[in-house]
């Protein structure tokens, strides 16, 4: 148990680090720039560079893996998410869907680079994205159906009035919950993933430390356990690579679903 | 779905982590709350929210105007071009097949015609050949017949001439043998005697 005595301290350090403390200003002031904001801005620049580089190289005959990869993702979002979920008239929602997917996926992937943080690893960023989506699909629904019809259509059709009112209230709450679930789902996945990876990394180090400080049979035995932690860390890292893409996809897919629901019938 | 299973394994990992932490020290939970953990994490910080909102809206504006439409447009253009090319290729294929069929039909026709011409030529040749043969045969027969007639006529003439000359020669030979010319009465007697001798010869 000796090696684990330092664990709480390290975990607290990890959590503090994942808190992404302020780089400029202080956490108490109204405006400050945190590490997450910086990584989010870096991701935004990377996204701009990728899109404009791809745009510049677009040709009738596709050339190069980079352009092919970008094209593949664009086509995937367009066909599977846009056409598949929204269907007719999906074209005008494509810029939002594509920007959301690419922005989130780039943030998530940057977060996987050791030493970097995912811009999506904080509620501030994910809530901003969720809010844009929330306003977007509601605005679209109101534009499509008219304000009155849109509000009325929150509840189900063909139900007696008392029941309609009850369900309408529940549906209204569920509508606003979308804002929160979208933001929390993405944030929690990124945050939890990084905590788990961080913990495994800490455990690997902790179990290895006795061997470095003084070589003994006992220390060697403890160090072998760190191989297990290392393997877990690698497994977790691989899974986080999947999660990075899946969560971006889920966010984009739900955006498309909400847009298609807001369109009405 | 896969997202669900991923979340499931994450829950597993977190519970593993929790058990390790529980072994280590109960102080973690306390420290977490002190370090702004728990529900505090779920409250968006204005300092992060506003830059993210502005950055995302700017991205949306820039990419929505100058990024995605061009990429999607290029993809559309390519798809249209490929579709067009395929359709053209299909039309060309059909046209080529039609022309090929036409040429085949023409070739077949030509072949039949050639065969017909050869057959006609053969039959004409055959006819001409048999006509010529028949004519030649006819002519040959005619010639043979004429030759036969001429031979017959000349033979008859020769026989007649020979008969005349034999009678004369025999008469003159007989006259010379006898020494004088026979009168008709003597001549007759001689013939009768000769006939009688011949008759007696026959009787023998």
């Amino acid at each position: 148990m000796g090696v684990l005595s330092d664990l709480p301290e390290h975990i607290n350090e990890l959590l503090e680090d994942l808190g992404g403390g302020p780089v400029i200003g202080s956490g108490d002031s109204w405006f400050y720039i945190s590490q997450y904001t910086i990584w989010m801005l870096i991701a935004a620049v990377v996204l701009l560079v990728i899109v404009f580089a791809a745009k510049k190289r677009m040709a009738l005959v596709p050339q190069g893996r980079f352009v092919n990869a970008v094209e593949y993702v664009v086509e995937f979002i367009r066909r599977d998410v846009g056409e598949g979920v929204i269907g007719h008239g999906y074209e005008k929602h494509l810029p939002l869907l594509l920007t959301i997917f690419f922005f989130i996926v780039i943030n998530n992937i940057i977060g996987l680079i050791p030493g970097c943080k995912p811009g999506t690893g904080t509620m501030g960023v994910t809530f901003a994205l969720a809010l844009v989506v929330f306003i977007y699909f509601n605005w679209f629904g109101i534009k499509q159906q008219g304000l009155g019809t849109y509000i009325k259509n929150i509840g189900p059709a063909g139900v007696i009035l008392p029941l309609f009112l009850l369900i309408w209230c529940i549906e209204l709450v569920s509508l606003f919950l979308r804002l929160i679930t979208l933001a929390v789902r993405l944030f929690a996945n990124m945050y939890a993933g990084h905590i788990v990876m961080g913990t495994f990394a800490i455990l690997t180090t902790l179990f290895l430390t006795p061997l470095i400080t003084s070589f003994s049979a006992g220390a060697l035995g403890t160090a072998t356990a760190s191989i297990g932690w290392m393997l877990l860390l690698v497994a977790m890292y691989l899974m986080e690579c999947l999660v990075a893409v899946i969560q971006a996809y889920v966010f984009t897919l739900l955006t498309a679903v909400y847009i298609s629901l807001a369109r009405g019938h | 779905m896969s997202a669900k299973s991923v979340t499931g394994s994450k829950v597993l990992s977190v519970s593993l982590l929790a058990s390790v932490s529980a072994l280590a020290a109960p102080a973690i939970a306390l420290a977490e709350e002190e370090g702004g953990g728990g529900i505090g994490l779920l409250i968006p910080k204005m300092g992060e929210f506003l830059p993210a909102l502005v950055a995302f809206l700017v991205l949306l504006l820039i990419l929505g105007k100058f990024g995605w439409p061009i990429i999607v447009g290029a993809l559309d253009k390519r798809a249209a071009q490929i579709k067009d090319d395929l359709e053209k290729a299909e039309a060309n294929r059909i046209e080529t097949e039609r022309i090929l069929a036409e040429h085949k039909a023409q070739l077949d026709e030509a072949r039949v015609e050639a065969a017909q011409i050869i057959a006609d030529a053969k039959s004409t040749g055959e006819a001409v050949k048999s006509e010529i043969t028949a004519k030649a045969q006819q002519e040959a027969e005619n010639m043979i017949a004429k030759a036969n007639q001429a031979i017959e006529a000349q033979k008859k003439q020769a026989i007649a001439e020979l008969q005349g000359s034999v009678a004369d020669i025999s008469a003159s030979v007989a006259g010379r043998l006898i020494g004088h010319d026979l009168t008709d009465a003597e001549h007759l007697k001689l013939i009768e005697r000769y006939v009688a001798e011949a008759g007696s010869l026959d009787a023998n």
Side-chain angles (χ1 to χ4, degrees), chain A residues 79-97:
Chain A
R79 299 288 168 218
D80 273 51
V81 179
E83 209 172 14
V85 176
I86 303 175
H88 175 68
Y90 73 93
E91 292 90 350
K92 63 178 169 185
H93 307 296
L94 263 187
L96 178 78
L97 296 177

Side-chain angles (χ1 to χ4, degrees), chain A:
Chain A
M1 281 298 112
V3 284
L4 289 178
S5 58
D6 289 339
L7 187 60
E9 192 191 322
H10 281 103
I11 296 278
N12 281 339
E13 269 175 35
L14 171 68
L15 289 175
E16 205 170 298
D17 182 49
L18 284 178
V23 176
I24 300 165
S26 88
D28 299 327
S29 67
W30 186 79
F31 184 82
Y32 76 108
I33 293 192
S34 75
Q35 291 187 37
Y36 285 109
T37 307
I38 290 176
W39 289 114
M40 182 274 295
L41 289 174
I42 289 173
V45 172
V46 170
L47 173 56
L48 281 178
V49 169
I50 287 177
V51 172
F52 281 95
K55 176 189 145 187
K56 209 172 147 188
R57 289 184 209 173
M58 282 299 282
L60 202 57
V61 180
Q63 291 164 336
R65 283 182 196 171
F66 168 69
V67 178
N68 272 337
V70 174
E71 278 179 14
Y72 179 81
V73 178
V74 170
E75 275 289 279
F76 173 74
I77 296 298
R78 182 186 183 188
R79 299 288 168 218
D80 273 51
V81 179
E83 209 172 14
V85 176
I86 303 175
H88 175 68
Y90 73 93
E91 292 90 350
K92 63 178 169 185
H93 307 296
L94 263 187
L96 178 78
L97 296 177
L98 286 169
T99 311
I100 280 183
F101 181 81
F102 273 87
F103 184 67
I104 295 176
V105 88
I106 288 170
N107 265 304
N108 292 355
I109 287 170
I110 283 180
L112 285 172
I113 301 168
C116 305
K117 282 193 168 60
T120 42
T122 180
M123 265 303 272
V125 176
T126 57
F127 189 76
L129 293 175
L131 189 68
V132 171
V133 169
F134 184 76
I135 292 172
Y136 183 91
F137 77 73
N138 279 308
W139 166 80
F140 174 68
I142 290 166
K143 212 177 118 184
Q144 286 284 306
Q145 308 183 32
L147 184 63
T149 323
Y150 182 68
I151 289 174
K152 198 188 126 247
N153 276 351
I154 290 172
V159 183
I160 51 164
L161 193 66
L163 202 59
F164 173 81
L165 287 175
L166 181 68
I167 297 175
W168 188 87
C169 289
I170 297 171
E171 287 290 333
L172 187 70
V173 172
S174 124
L175 183 72
F176 278 94
L177 270 180
R178 286 177 190 172
L179 175 61
I180 298 172
T181 52
L182 266 183
V184 172
R185 182 184 302 108
L186 179 56
F187 157 71
N189 268 285
M190 289 301 114
Y191 190 75
H194 280 75
I195 288 183
V196 174
M197 284 200 293
T199 309
F200 287 155
I202 289 169
L203 285 166
T204 309
T205 323
L206 282 183
F207 277 74
L208 206 60
T209 320
L211 191 66
I212 296 164
T213 48
S214 64
F215 188 86
S216 70
L220 196 66
T222 319
T224 48
S226 82
I227 296 173
W229 292 120
M230 187 72 197
L231 288 177
L232 275 176
L233 175 62
V234 171
M236 201 57 214
Y237 192 86
L238 290 176
M239 206 188 73
E240 281 304 305
C241 294
L242 269 180
V243 170
V245 180
I246 289 170
Q247 285 306 318
Y249 172 65
V250 167
F251 200 103
T252 317
L253 188 72
L254 285 173
T255 303
V257 169
Y258 295 154
I259 289 171
S260 89
L261 285 176
R263 184 169 51 194
H265 308 289

